[in-house]
Amino acid sequence: MTDLFDRASDVEQAFRDNALARQLDQVTEQPLTDKQGTRCCVECSEEIPLPRLAAVPRAVRCISCQAIKEAR
């Protein structure tokens, strides 16, 4: 029974560590802006569409690049 609780504790800690690492990545990433003040993706340098920025105001990647980052 103790092994089960130890395993659950390990899984929970790994989950928290992963969530914290993702949060810290978001905090340190700065958005790119062009000369007109348009926010651009930090990966591909394409303009981030306004609907994406409306949904995720702190977005630093376009939807495609964010999907690739999350898949890693």
Side-chain angles (χ1 to χ4, degrees):
M1 187 68 148
T2 304
D3 291 336
L4 182 63
F5 290 125
D6 288 341
R7 177 70 181 135
S9 178
D10 291 343
V11 169
E12 182 181 6
Q13 186 62 46
F15 179 79
R16 288 177 187 220
D17 291 344
N18 191 8
L20 181 59
R22 283 194 317 267
Q23 185 66 28
L24 290 174
D25 281 346
Q26 289 178 354
V27 170
T28 59
E29 293 178 325
Q30 298 296 318
L32 295 177
T33 54
D34 62 13
K35 292 179 182 178
Q36 292 81 25
T38 304
R39 191 165 319 161
C40 300
C41 176
V42 295
E43 299 289 334
C44 68
S45 300
E46 293 292 320
E47 180 179 340
I48 299 175
L50 291 177
R52 169 137 174 89
L53 291 174
V56 184
R58 297 183 309 170
V60 295
R61 287 180 185 77
C62 64
I63 294 172
S64 300
C65 291
Q66 184 66 36
I68 292 168
K69 182 179 187 317
E70 289 177 3
R72 291 185 210 152

